[in-house]
Amino acid sequence: MASSHHAAGGARVDRGVVAGTFSLDGETYDVDNNIWVVGDDSEVVVIDAPHDVEAILGVVGDRRVKAIVCTHAHDDHVRVAPELRKRTSAPILLHPDDRPLWELTHGTGEHGELWDVDLSDGQEIAVGGTTLTVLHTPGHAPGAVCLHAPELGVVFTGDTLFNGGPGATGRSYSDRPTIEASIKARLFALPGDTVVHTGHGDDTTIAAEMTNLT
Ligand SMILES: [Zn+2]
């Protein structure tokens, strides 16, 4: 299930895939989510926490989890984030504009569970000798972010950009003109050969997706 490829500096990207459901606006869909783990042999960042904490920990192995970074707060990306936090003692990072979506899954007030640290545009997250830069890319969700790792030549796009085009914008809290503006301004500004690691499905590249969205 898990696979990896190595890059310069000791940092690498490991991937898993886990099946579950996504619910919003009263409908539920079956979905396969990618699990992305970035780091070296000693410490990692986990990007999104879908469905099954054991599957995520299987990709992490015996390495220390430094942070759980959520690309956005749809339930298929954050459902087991609090459980993963409990197991690893790592903080959960989320852009605060996704609070309404987070609360749909994790509740509000004294019965709710919150994330720990707000993500902000331009923030840098160091892990395993490399750096992830936060790009705020609203549209699929108001607090959607992408994580660019320039030294690895990759960007993690969550559900903002897929192999084949932009993420879905047909449901609550989504907006098509906003996602297109985010992709064009922030993602298409990256080098064309940047590999795009998506929240669901196969990789693509920035150059390939520039031909899918004109
Ligand atoms: Zn989503």
Side-chain angles (χ1 to χ4, degrees):
M1 167 95 50
S3 64
S4 70
H5 48 268
H6 291 256
R12 66 179 191 271
V13 177
D14 294 287
R15 179 193 186 206
V17 180
V18 62
T21 61
F22 163 59
S23 298
L24 190 62
D25 297 338
E27 292 183 273
T28 296
Y29 310 85
D30 291 326
V31 286
D32 286 342
N33 283 64
N34 292 324
I35 300 162
W36 296 109
V37 175
V38 186
D40 60 11
D41 288 338
S42 60
E43 64 173 20
V44 299
V45 163
V46 174
I47 299 173
D48 288 335
H51 310 311
D52 181 347
V53 76
E54 296 300 336
I56 298 166
L57 291 172
V59 181
V60 168
D62 60 3
R63 299 175 289 172
R64 184 176 74 91
V65 177
K66 191 174 181 183
I68 303 157
V69 180
C70 302
T71 61
H72 63 297
H74 281 153
D75 64 351
D76 57 323
H77 293 256
V78 302
R79 185 177 288 115
V80 302
E83 187 184 349
L84 184 62
R85 169 173 62 191
K86 199 175 298 175
R87 295 283 297 274
T88 62
S89 302
I92 300 169
L93 284 64
L94 177 74
H95 194 287
D97 289 357
D98 259 17
R99 173 182 283 272
L101 288 165
W102 173 273
E103 290 180 343
L104 289 176
T105 300
H106 293 304
T108 58
E110 63 182 284
H111 300 295
E113 292 209 70
L114 278 175
W115 66 97
D116 302 289
V117 179
D118 285 348
L119 290 172
S120 60
D121 188 65
Q123 179 178 352
E124 294 192 340
I125 300 165
V127 63
T130 197
T131 303
L132 299 169
T133 301
V134 176
L135 308 175
H136 182 212
T137 52
H140 176 72
V145 301
C146 297
L147 300 157
H148 182 218
E151 294 164 344
L152 299 176
V154 305
V155 62
F156 301 90
T157 56
D159 292 356
T160 293
L161 184 63
F162 290 128
N163 184 328
T169 49
R171 302 185 191 96
S172 298
Y173 306 104
S174 289
D175 185 67
R176 177 78 186 193
T178 304
I179 198 174
E180 289 193 5
S182 289
I183 291 168
K184 288 175 178 171
R186 308 306 302 280
L187 297 181
F188 289 175
L190 302 177
D193 61 355
T194 303
V195 173
V196 177
H197 291 317
T198 61
H200 307 270
D202 295 333
D203 289 348
T204 182
T205 64
I206 293 297
E209 296 314 316
M210 289 179 81
T211 69
N212 287 331
L213 182 66
T214 54

